[in-house]
Amino acid sequence: MTGLLIKGGTVVGPQGPISADVLVVGEKISALFMPGDGPVEGDFEVLDATGKYVIPGAVDAHTHMEMPFGGTKASDTFDTGTRAAAFGGTTTIIDFAIQRYGEVVQDGLAAWHAKTEGECHIDYAFHMILGGVDDDSLKAMDQLVASEGITSFKLFMAYPGVFYSDDGQILRAMQKARDNGAMIMMHAENGPAIDVLVKQALERGETDPIYHGITRPEALEAEATSRAIWLASVAADCPLYIVHLSASKALEQVAAARDLGRNVFAETCPQYLYLTLEDQLGADGFEGAKWVCSTPLRSKHETHRADLWKGLRSNDLSVVSTDHCPFCFKDQKDMGIGDFSKIPNGIGSVEHRVDLLYQGVVDGKLSLARWVETIATTPARMFGLFPQKGIIAPGSDADIVLYDPAARTRIGVETHHMNMDYSAWEGFEIAGKVDTVISRGTVLVSGDTYHGTKGHGRFVRRGLSDYLI
Ligand code: DUC
Ligand code: ZN
Ligand code: ZN
């Protein structure tokens, strides 16, 4: 069996950086050696990692390739989106299969298997969005956990008439999750209240993209987060994971629950760590549409960004995902000219998360170990992919990234690989660069050259969360 010997690098895992050589045999990591102690002869290729970090392939636990939304669909296919992810050092995504109200859950899952089969460049798994909680979908939850490798279900407290579940439905799904061990993922914004504010804003003639943020205030994220946490407590502490947390007061709710030892977790996304209501969503004219996403970007005059970085350090925020949901400006975002509520919600970042979070290391906001934990190890543990994914250890899949801290990345539409006609990160300069990307022992990216193939990526069945109490 052929292999790879990755020599001279600094292996970074949740335990911190160590000097070690890594032997890959076939699709698996075979051994770690003291520098220079590995085999000197054999049927393997040597990769020189001198001066580089050797990290587990990153796991993006929240993407929406080809997602039908707002009268259009997300512009990355599973082909273009997973290739872009690979360029950025992500070797596994967990995307969302969708069941709409009135549809059979298993049909929704089958549709997502059909979309992905033979299309992905990296490994992939699914969460299931439940757009309708009823007796049938509750029964389906058991079947998906027991037989399909789907162990997490997303519910929405927002988007009435589309994905929205009321409190009774949420409670029933949480009770079911408590019984079968699944994780409930919550889009925590008070949708009915937001819809009132949106209608009132439009009646006043407030139609620009910035009103998307103003009509989704922090209070309505904090209130929904708190309500979700209380509902989970009524469901005997069902495991709860708040997605795309953006605001300080929502984080306070999560932190308080975690201090009580509750089964409550949260993720944030790069856009909330770097971008703001005023500078991006409030850009001139219709330009701000590029940054319309939900939850929305928050004010730079408040403490959100600093609090989110602090939350990542303290583990009140466990994971950084992208919520990658890209739309082109032309023919998609521009559907909302004259009415911000018609702008499709979403930002594309699947290619940039590893770099954007490494910038946090350079800026002294995260340790190297925490960088790797938040982008790879913890999402793998959170969603039942560990130790197959998320760690450089014997027996794990050989999903490995060589990261060059001495190189630089300049982000922009001319160089990115996502299927978008603009970049939400145009002009961002990162002190670091993804150098080599390996998926199950196969080199997908070296430097700027792509060696991967569509269809290399496999569906991965997930177990229950490692963090379940
Ligand atoms: N938020 C977004 O920005 N896009 C897709 C769905 C969501 O919840
Ligand atoms: Zn959401
Ligand atoms: Zn999402």
Side-chain angles (χ1 to χ4, degrees):
M1 191 169 289
T2 54
L4 278 173
L5 183 62
I6 302 169
K7 284 189 75 162
T10 301
V11 174
V12 185
Q15 80 284 15
I18 53 167
S19 296
D21 298 342
V22 181
L23 181 65
V24 170
V25 177
E27 297 194 344
K28 298 284 183 187
I29 294 165
S30 169
L32 270 69
F33 297 97
M34 300 246 294
D37 274 10
V40 283
E41 274 182 45
D43 187 12
F44 51 77
E45 184 189 333
V46 175
L47 274 183
D48 182 6
T50 307
K52 305 205 172 77
Y53 294 125
V54 181
I55 65 171
V59 177
D60 192 337
H62 189 155
T63 68
H64 301 283
M65 307 300 174
E66 309 182 23
M67 182 197 192
F69 190 75
T72 181
K73 76 177 174 195
S75 58
D76 263 319
T77 61
F78 281 94
D79 174 9
T80 63
T82 57
R83 183 173 178 273
F87 264 109
T90 288
T91 52
T92 308
I93 59 165
I94 314 181
D95 205 89
F96 288 81
I98 299 180
Q99 175 241 6
R100 279 188 205 74
Y101 180 76
E103 289 176 359
V104 175
V105 172
Q106 284 89 345
D107 290 350
L109 178 59
W112 256 256
H113 276 301
K115 284 177 208 262
T116 48
E117 186 64 46
E119 293 295 312
C120 293
H121 293 246
I122 56 171
D123 288 353
Y124 61 97
F126 297 135
H127 313 284
M128 190 85 214
I129 287 176
L130 293 182
V133 176
D134 57 21
D135 289 347
D136 290 337
S137 55
L138 290 169
K139 210 183 294 169
M141 285 173 74
D142 282 338
Q143 197 261 326
L144 264 56
V145 171
S147 312
E148 305 291 346
I150 313 286
T151 55
S152 42
F153 297 86
K154 184 178 178 188
L155 301 173
F156 288 79
M157 301 169 102
Y159 304 124
V162 187
F163 294 126
Y164 175 78
S165 291
D166 66 28
D167 290 351
Q169 291 171 314
I170 289 170
L171 181 61
R172 290 187 78 198
M174 285 178 163
Q175 288 169 331
K176 177 57 81 181
R178 175 74 269 188
D179 289 346
N180 64 26
M183 181 75 79
I184 292 295
M185 306 173 77
M186 190 62 76
H187 180 125
E189 288 188 294
N190 185 326
I194 286 168
D195 280 5
V196 170
L197 297 182
V198 169
K199 184 163 176 288
Q200 291 170 346
L202 291 172
E203 280 165 4
R204 286 193 296 268
E206 296 167 349
T207 60
D208 285 347
I210 195 166
Y211 292 104
H212 171 79
I214 292 170
T215 56
R216 305 180 93 90
E218 175 183 28
L220 296 183
E221 183 182 348
E223 182 276 332
T225 303
S226 163
R227 187 158 33 101
I229 290 169
W230 279 113
L231 287 168
S233 81
V234 174
D237 211 10
C238 131
L240 173 67
Y241 177 96
I242 306 291
V243 295
H244 47 55
L245 188 147
S246 70
S248 299
K249 286 189 164 47
L251 179 57
E252 280 172 24
Q253 308 301 317
V254 171
R258 291 179 61 74
D259 287 349
L260 292 172
R262 296 279 310 283
N263 258 333
V264 174
F265 310 92
E267 68 174 17
T268 191
C269 312
Q271 52 268 35
Y272 308 117
L273 293 166
Y274 287 102
L275 310 179
T276 67
L277 177 86
E278 293 83 3
D279 292 339
Q280 277 79 30
L281 202 50
D284 282 350
F286 189 65
E287 195 70 6
K290 293 177 177 175
W291 295 278
V292 164
C293 59
S294 297
T295 54
L297 303 184
R298 299 296 177 190
S299 173
K300 67 177 176 184
H301 302 301
E302 296 163 350
T303 58
H304 308 288
R305 286 176 298 169
D307 288 344
L308 295 179
W309 282 110
K310 204 174 352 145
L312 286 174
R313 284 195 295 279
S314 67
N315 203 31
D316 286 330
L317 292 168
S318 309
V319 170
V320 178
S321 308
T322 55
D323 194 7
H324 179 75
C325 192
F327 296 101
C328 289
F329 196 70
K330 191 174 170 305
D331 296 338
Q332 293 196 294
K333 290 284 185 181
D334 63 11
M335 292 160 69
I337 293 177
D339 179 350
F340 68 86
S341 72
K342 297 204 163 54
I343 301 168
N345 289 200
I347 286 185
S349 309
V350 77
E351 189 169 348
H352 305 312
R353 185 181 55 124
V354 173
D355 287 323
L356 288 165
L357 268 289
Y358 182 69
Q359 187 63 42
V361 177
V362 174
D363 294 343
K365 292 172 170 159
L366 286 186
S367 66
L368 277 174
R370 199 69 195 132
W371 171 48
V372 167
E373 271 188 333
T374 55
I375 61 171
T377 313
T378 304
R381 302 189 85 134
M382 186 69 68
F383 293 109
L385 290 166
F386 189 86
Q388 184 182 351
K389 307 290 186 188
I391 189 86
I392 296 187
S396 295
D397 281 357
D399 294 353
I400 299 171
V401 173
L402 274 52
Y403 197 80
D404 185 354
R408 290 189 78 77
T409 303
R410 191 166 200 285
I411 304 180
V413 66
E414 295 301 328
T415 48
H416 76 195
H417 302 87
M418 299 176 291
N419 184 34
M420 295 176 73
D421 61 0
Y422 75 95
S423 171
W425 303 94
E426 191 67 47
F428 264 67
E429 289 253 2
I430 310 288
K433 190 177 191 306
V434 172
D435 177 85
T436 304
V437 180
I438 300 164
S439 161
R440 280 185 280 102
T442 298
V443 175
L444 302 187
V445 178
S446 54
D448 294 323
T449 310
Y450 195 68
H451 307 283
T453 45
K454 185 167 110 161
H456 166 84
R458 285 188 203 138
F459 175 68
V460 187
R461 287 169 180 274
R462 295 183 294 116
L464 299 183
S465 172
D466 272 16
Y467 294 111
L468 220 122
I469 300 164

